[in-house]
Amino acid sequence: MRMRGRPVSALNVLLWVGGVALVGAAYVRGVPYWRRYQAMRAQQENIRRYETWRGRPTESGPSSADLMETELRRRAQPWLVAGIVGIVMIVAGFAVR
């Protein structure tokens, strides 16, 4: 197989397939954590606005929702890194000769 006048090596194909696999895994595994994190953040912000509107003082320590947000963010971060590595592998597949 040729790509713009030069042959495509097995390394190119391996990098493309590996990169696509990593991006796909990152999307399938990481996006649910990230969506839940965003939803919890929006809900907590809404609760804080409501409590401020009612004149109630806000809590001084972290709530259980804050701790869950931290956990969801912690679980999503490795998949974000895997997605970035996958994108780098795809780009490297085009750059390697």
Side-chain angles (χ1 to χ4, degrees):
M1 189 161 77
R2 297 182 72 79
M3 184 175 75
R4 292 189 191 165
R6 66 181 176 97
V8 176
S9 69
L11 179 61
N12 296 105
V13 175
L14 181 67
L15 286 170
W16 292 331
V17 169
V20 168
L22 273 176
V23 170
Y27 182 79
V28 169
R29 297 294 308 264
V31 168
Y33 292 127
W34 185 251
R35 285 183 181 156
R36 182 69 183 132
Y37 166 73
Q38 292 294 333
M40 286 190 72
R41 241 177 77 189
Q43 185 178 19
Q44 282 301 107
E45 186 58 34
N46 192 28
I47 290 170
R48 284 185 183 104
R49 279 195 312 268
Y50 178 72
E51 295 297 330
T52 302
W53 175 75
R54 291 200 55 186
R56 292 183 182 168
T58 58
E59 295 179 14
S60 60
S63 67
S64 59
D66 292 332
L67 297 175
M68 188 62 186
E69 286 177 18
T70 303
E71 178 66 17
L72 288 169
R73 187 175 48 245
R74 185 188 67 78
R75 288 185 178 200
Q77 285 174 344
W79 294 109
L80 173 66
V81 171
I84 291 170
V85 169
I87 291 170
V88 168
M89 286 176 67
I90 292 169
V91 171
F94 286 104
V96 172
R97 291 191 183 243

